[in-house]
Amino acid sequence: MENNETDGKGVKYYRLSEVEERNSFKSTWIIINNKVYDVTKFLEEHPGGEEVLREQAGGDATESFEDVGHSTDAREMASSFVIGELHPDDRDKFVKPPVSTSVQESTSWWSNWLIPGLAALIVTMMYRIYTAEEA
Ligand code: HEM
């Protein structure tokens, strides 16, 4: 099947579209660090609750997984649910957010200066008006 390509070492590659379909409770797949996990049977056992896994179902859960600061035990446990890897052509789709963050940073750089700058301008104008009236 074209969707289930493997590399020379027998790693099974899944396309993103294929993972996205597995977002129900009949079948729940998530992606963490480009690896595809089938957590269907783990949902009820997850100490963090099944809801959080459902929310990530069919998509990339790397950030949420890392944010929680899962223990080494949790990571080892996770490795037993790996069923394959995300197809290399689909990985770029998750690399993009950091790029947009840097764009946001430059936007906030402007707004960070714009507001104090405007405030300073208004204060200067008011000062000038007051000192002009006094004279
Ligand atoms: C295969 C994937 C996962 C496995 C095997 C796993 C396993 C575990 C384990 C063993 C714990 C207990 C605490 C620890 O040992 O760190 C835990 C807690 C937790 N997990 Fe996961 N987890 C997975 C994915 C996720 C994802 C994707 C999320 C977020 C969307 C998540 C959110 C949480 C939360 C919120 C807790 C509770 C932390 C707390 O109460 O301190 N987990 N998980």
Side-chain angles (χ1 to χ4, degrees):
M1 257 195 346
E2 56 158 19
N3 275 344
N4 291 338
E5 291 169 45
T6 57
D7 71 359
K9 296 173 213 132
V11 173
K12 201 163 185 176
Y13 285 130
Y14 294 96
R15 301 305 305 223
L16 182 59
S17 55
E18 203 178 351
V19 179
E20 281 169 347
E21 285 167 17
R22 308 301 185 121
N23 61 0
S24 67
F25 41 137
K26 264 191 241 148
S27 189
T28 311
W29 292 6
I30 53 171
I31 300 161
I32 302 170
N33 290 320
N34 294 324
K35 289 207 171 80
V36 180
Y37 296 80
D38 181 350
V39 291
T40 319
K41 297 208 170 74
F42 179 63
L43 286 177
E44 286 176 16
E45 290 163 36
H46 181 224
E50 61 181 288
E51 196 53 41
V52 285
L53 292 181
R54 287 254 181 81
E55 277 167 18
Q56 309 293 327
D60 183 48
T62 311
E63 218 179 293
S64 331
F65 183 81
E66 299 300 346
D67 280 354
V68 171
H70 281 92
S71 64
T72 320
D73 275 0
R75 282 161 202 276
E76 275 168 20
M77 198 185 275
S79 62
S80 65
F81 300 113
V82 176
I83 52 166
E85 292 188 16
L86 188 63
H87 195 284
D89 289 353
D90 287 345
R91 292 182 188 186
D92 289 351
K93 292 170 186 164
F94 298 131
V95 181
K96 275 172 190 160
V99 176
S100 69
T101 317
S102 69
V103 171
Q104 274 168 12
E105 269 165 26
S106 66
T107 320
S108 67
W109 184 88
W110 274 103
S111 51
N112 279 350
W113 281 101
L114 199 69
I115 294 164
L118 277 174
L121 194 72
I122 292 166
V123 171
T124 313
M125 301 268 281
M126 284 170 76
Y127 178 76
R128 287 207 173 180
I129 290 164
Y130 276 112
T131 47
E133 274 171 6
E134 274 167 28

